[in-house]
Amino acid sequence: MATLVLIHPAWFGGWCWRDVVRPLRAAGHEAWAPTLTGFGERAHLASPAITLGTHVEDVISLLEFEDLHEVTLVGNSSGGTVITAVADRCPERIARLVYLDAFLPSDGQSTLDLLPPDRVAALDRLVQSEGDGWRLPRFGPPPWEMILREIWHVTDDDKFRWVLPRLRPAPYGHFTEPVRLTNARAAASIKRVYIRCVNSAPSPFDRAAAVAQASPDWEYRSMQTYHIPFVTNPEDVAQAMLEIVA
C-alpha cells in the first residue's frame, strides 16, 4: 500500500481530486487531498496574510498530524511550488515528488517568476482592479467560463457544472512568495517524476519538462490531456499514479 498526498493548484480545492482519489483508494492505497487555506471549503479563511508559506504549513501539518511517511507528494500547476517547498522542509517523510504539469521553482523563485512578464502584468492588474490588492480572481482576463471551456477543455457539461461554482479567488501571496530551499542535500534523495500534459499550449511547464527529460535523476512521462486532467481525464491520472507507486 502506498500513501499519496495530492496538492491542488490555485482557485481549486481538495475537492478537485475526487475522481482520482476514489480509484486510488479502491486499489488499496491511502490517498489524501487536503484543501489549502483560503480555497474550497476553507475559502472563508482567505485573507491578505496568506502566503505560499501558509500552504506549505498546511501540507506539513497534514503529514505530521496524520504521521504520514514514505509519501508520494503530487502537485499540479502552482501546487508544484508548494510541494517543492514542503520537500525541503520535511524530506524524511517523502519518498517521491510528482509534478503534474506543474511549476518547478529553484531557490529564491516564486511562481510568478516562472511566468512571462506580460502575463504577470495582466495578473497584477486583475489583483488591483478586482481583487482588492490581495486576491487573484481567476487564471486570466477571460471569464472562468471561457477558461474552462476553451483553455482547459472541460467539455463535459456535468464536470463543467461541478467545477465552475467551486472555484475561488487565490490569495496573491500564493504566487508572489519565493521558495527558500535550505535542505537541498537531504531533499536530493527524493525521487522525482514530471508528467507533462502535452495537449496544452506551450507554457512554462515545457521548461520544467525539459529539465526532467535532460536529467537522469528524473522520471519523465507525458499524458495526452490538457492542464487540469484531474477533472478532464481522472482515470488517466489515477492510472499514472498507480504505475508510479508500483
Side-chain angles (χ1 to χ4, degrees):
M1 183 181 72
T3 300
L4 300 97
V5 176
L6 312 174
I7 306 303
H8 65 83
W11 304 290
F12 289 80
W15 57 267
C16 73
W17 298 100
R18 180 193 67 183
D19 296 335
V20 176
V21 165
R22 287 174 178 171
L24 293 178
R25 290 174 177 167
H29 300 297
E30 187 176 1
W32 300 79
T35 293
L36 304 177
T37 303
F39 296 108
E41 73 275 14
R42 305 182 70 200
H44 62 289
L45 300 175
S47 80
I50 294 174
T51 65
L52 173 69
T54 310
H55 297 148
V56 172
E57 291 294 341
D58 286 337
V59 180
I60 291 174
S61 293
L62 171 69
L63 301 182
E64 292 179 345
F65 278 83
E66 297 295 342
D67 198 23
L68 304 181
H69 293 272
E70 293 297 309
V71 170
T72 293
L73 187 58
V74 183
N76 168 260
S77 199
S78 63
T81 306
V82 176
I83 69 172
T84 299
V86 170
D88 185 75
R89 288 276 303 278
C90 55
E92 70 281 358
R93 291 182 179 269
I94 300 170
R96 183 183 293 104
L97 296 173
V98 180
Y99 292 81
L100 177 62
D101 225 33
F103 290 102
L104 181 60
S106 299
D107 182 36
Q109 287 185 316
S110 69
T111 298
L112 278 192
D113 291 331
L114 302 175
L115 292 171
D118 60 335
R119 178 74 187 287
V120 174
L123 298 182
D124 285 343
R125 287 192 294 270
L126 278 173
V127 170
Q128 296 304 317
S129 64
E130 300 180 29
D132 300 319
W134 65 272
R135 293 174 301 173
L136 182 57
R138 57 187 181 275
F139 170 78
W144 271 125
E145 290 84 351
M146 184 179 297
I147 293 168
L148 287 174
R149 291 289 198 191
E150 299 183 14
I151 298 177
W152 291 344
H153 291 259
V154 182
T155 56
D156 181 278
D157 288 340
D158 288 339
K159 290 182 177 181
F160 181 86
R161 287 190 293 267
W162 172 54
V163 172
L164 183 61
R166 289 172 170 80
L167 299 171
R168 293 295 183 273
Y172 208 32
H174 176 82
F175 296 93
T176 60
E177 184 180 15
V179 170
R180 300 298 181 190
L181 304 180
T182 61
N183 202 9
R185 180 173 296 181
S189 63
I190 299 171
K191 297 176 182 177
R192 285 170 165 77
V193 181
Y194 200 94
I195 304 176
R196 179 71 173 106
C197 297
V198 296
N199 287 356
S200 299
S203 73
F205 310 119
D206 289 317
R207 294 196 297 272
V211 170
Q213 288 177 290
S215 173
D217 298 327
W218 284 76
E219 176 185 349
Y220 174 77
R221 290 169 171 250
S222 62
M223 296 176 61
Q224 297 291 327
T225 66
Y226 292 94
H227 182 55
I228 55 169
F230 44 81
V231 171
T232 58
N233 300 81
E235 63 286 345
D236 293 337
V237 177
Q239 182 59 38
M241 296 303 125
L242 291 172
E243 292 172 2
I244 287 168
V245 300

